[in-house]
Amino acid sequence: PPPSPNPPPQSSGGLFSTFSRPPPVADRAQALDRWLRKLARLVYASALHEKSREVLLLLIIFLKPLESRVEFPPIDPGCLPAALETYACRVLVLPVLDLLISQFVAALAASLPNNPQLVDYVKRQERGALKEIADEHMGKLAGFADQLSAMVVEGCKADMEALAGRAEFEGRGWNGEEEVQRAVQRVVEMEVYVPLRSLLSRVIVNAYRRDDALVHDRMARLLPRDQAWFNIPEGFRSPSGWSAAAGILKAGIGASTLPSDKLRAIVACAREIMRTYKEEHEGEEGDTIPLGADDFLPVFIYAVLRSDLGRAASLLALLSGFCSGNRRIGETGYYLATFEAAVEHIKMMGETDEEREVREAAEAKEDEEAEQARRADRDGQQEQQQDGDPGKQLEALLAGSGFLS
């Protein structure tokens, strides 16, 4: 084609340089992530050529490391949970729901503190304010996810029950509404939580950094202790050291991304404690002394300690913020409360009087510095307001001259 009469100005800065500054790397990465996710979801939403379908399935496998091991539903006709999740994926790619999710994610991401703001919060030692921000945004995220899940479950329950009744799933077990809710919940978290995970993690980790360090220090000190030190009665101690339960907790939480999967790992750990106890303490006639709540908590604390969880306080803040509504009432809520109690016990265990005095003094100093910073901000804002108000300027001038005395 002939050259344009008004060619654009050329930059001398190299092959990829332009006069306009390119978008930040994080924004470009997020845009690419959204595009790849939408492309991969075509396998659930469109009638594709067999070769295209195969390519998209390979793309999904490729994206798994990028999603930190979020498991997209495999196309396995013999797996009922995967079939239910596949159906939920198809529902959530409908244009109206896709737009709703995209708008919510964009709005929540824009309201979270950026990196300079986070640095400012940390410098001012305002971790309490960061905790409030983290709790507020996790509450908004959990509320939206719960409402979206309830809407999909209520609207598609009949279709999913019909799907579960198909011949290929016969004899594979069916828990009714609970299984539908679990499938929908996982897919909703993939669409809502995963795009915000890195932004939320930065806020939560910075807010709970001191708590994480304290729990990590306590875990390192308590690790050599035996079961007797944790007040586990002799008749309830495990010859295996509750290693299976600790392994489930470490693998289930460390290798999963979705909050619901992490919560299920906590429940699975508790169930494994019960199973291990029954297996190792069953009498000759099959009788076993029940493991009551007072006996269970020390065992659970021991398993949490042996699981070597990183950033336990941040993890607890994430799960507590995301576990709301009906999930707080049932088995998941009960064992999450037990996990919270275990973390709090570990914080206090093994602390000497001297260490407690040092910790309390450091906390008091931090609170005082934060109050001084807030007072300086208020004084600065008042001075700016006075500088911009002629009436205030005249009042200040008269007060300084002694005319009003």
Side-chain angles (χ1 to χ4, degrees):
S4 171
N6 298 309
Q10 297 295 319
S11 170
S12 59
L15 180 61
F16 297 101
S17 65
T18 60
F19 285 102
S20 60
R21 184 182 296 275
V25 174
D27 292 346
R28 286 180 284 164
Q30 189 175 14
L32 176 61
D33 176 71
R34 284 197 301 267
W35 180 77
L36 288 175
R37 286 165 60 80
K38 287 180 181 294
L39 183 64
R41 290 196 315 238
L42 288 175
V43 75
Y44 304 123
S46 305
L48 302 173
H49 185 275
E50 188 61 33
K51 292 298 181 182
S52 299
R53 180 184 176 85
E54 183 180 347
V55 169
L56 289 180
L57 287 173
L58 291 174
L59 176 61
I60 290 174
I61 296 173
F62 168 75
L63 286 174
K64 278 187 179 182
L66 301 182
E67 296 288 3
S68 298
R69 302 183 185 179
V70 170
E71 294 190 2
F72 283 82
I75 308 302
D76 180 2
C79 181
L80 178 56
L84 293 172
E85 292 180 14
T86 300
Y87 180 88
C89 276
R90 290 188 171 189
V91 172
L92 292 181
V93 296
L94 293 173
V96 62
L97 293 181
D98 185 56
L99 178 62
L100 178 66
I101 293 170
S102 299
Q103 289 177 341
F104 173 80
V105 169
L108 197 66
S111 66
L112 284 163
N114 55 31
N115 278 335
Q117 290 170 331
L118 278 176
V119 171
D120 187 57
Y121 273 112
V122 173
K123 283 184 176 180
R124 291 176 178 273
Q125 300 291 337
E126 293 187 347
R127 298 193 188 275
L130 272 181
K131 289 180 180 180
E132 292 178 1
I133 292 173
D135 293 343
E136 177 187 356
H137 284 78
M138 283 303 303
K140 291 179 179 178
L141 179 61
F144 179 80
D146 286 345
Q147 291 179 11
L148 185 59
S149 298
M151 182 178 66
V152 174
V153 168
E154 187 64 26
C156 304
K157 186 191 304 182
D159 289 345
M160 289 190 172
E161 289 179 351
L163 177 64
R166 294 174 59 174
E168 54 262 43
F169 301 124
E170 198 173 321
R172 294 187 178 270
W174 168 244
N175 295 326
E177 187 173 343
E178 179 182 347
E179 193 143 6
V180 170
Q181 287 176 343
R182 178 179 298 182
V184 173
Q185 189 180 82
R186 289 195 80 247
V187 176
V188 166
E189 288 180 14
M190 290 178 194
E191 298 298 325
V192 177
Y193 168 73
V194 170
L196 294 165
R197 184 176 64 91
S198 61
L199 297 174
L200 286 167
S201 294
R202 284 188 309 191
V203 177
I204 294 174
V205 168
N206 279 283
Y208 289 88
R209 187 180 301 277
R210 188 175 66 185
D211 303 77
D212 285 330
L214 177 61
V215 176
H216 183 269
D217 176 70
R218 290 289 172 267
M219 285 185 166
R221 294 189 180 194
L222 295 173
L223 192 59
R225 305 286 187 178
D226 58 13
Q227 297 181 58
W229 193 89
F230 290 88
N231 296 322
I232 300 176
E234 185 175 356
F236 294 91
R237 297 170 196 167
S238 169
S240 62
W242 310 104
S243 57
I248 288 175
L249 195 61
K250 181 176 183 178
I253 289 180
S256 60
T257 297
L258 303 181
S260 59
D261 289 344
K262 295 179 185 291
L263 287 167
R264 279 195 283 273
I266 292 175
V267 175
C269 171
R271 291 176 177 174
E272 180 60 25
I273 288 175
M274 298 295 190
R275 191 203 64 79
T276 300
Y277 170 72
K278 183 177 180 181
E279 179 182 281
E280 294 180 346
H281 297 83
E282 190 170 22
E284 295 181 359
E285 299 180 357
D287 296 330
T288 307
I289 301 174
L291 187 63
D294 292 340
D295 300 316
F296 175 81
L297 181 58
V299 173
F300 193 79
I301 292 173
Y302 190 82
V304 170
L305 180 67
R306 292 286 168 178
S307 65
D308 190 26
L309 294 177
R311 294 176 176 165
S314 296
L315 170 67
L316 180 59
L318 168 69
L319 298 183
S320 297
F322 213 89
C323 185
S324 59
N326 293 332
R327 282 178 285 179
R328 276 285 185 183
I329 300 173
E331 184 183 35
T332 300
Y334 175 78
Y335 286 122
L336 176 60
T338 306
F339 180 73
E340 182 176 4
V343 173
E344 291 300 321
H345 273 77
I346 290 173
K347 277 186 184 180
M348 298 297 117
M349 281 181 171
E351 187 178 41
T352 64
D353 293 339
E354 182 180 353
E355 289 172 337
R356 182 164 51 254
E357 290 177 2
V358 171
R359 174 175 58 81
E360 291 175 350
E363 291 175 353
K365 181 180 179 181
E366 185 173 312
D367 292 339
E368 182 181 354
E369 291 175 349
E371 180 59 32
Q372 290 176 353
R374 284 191 290 269
R375 192 181 303 117
D377 284 342
R378 288 195 298 268
D379 294 342
Q381 291 173 1
Q382 291 175 357
E383 289 177 2
Q384 290 178 359
Q385 291 173 358
Q386 290 178 0
D387 291 342
D389 187 344
K392 293 291 185 182
Q393 292 176 358
L394 178 60
E395 183 180 340
L397 180 62
L398 293 174
S401 65
F403 183 79
L404 297 178
S405 59

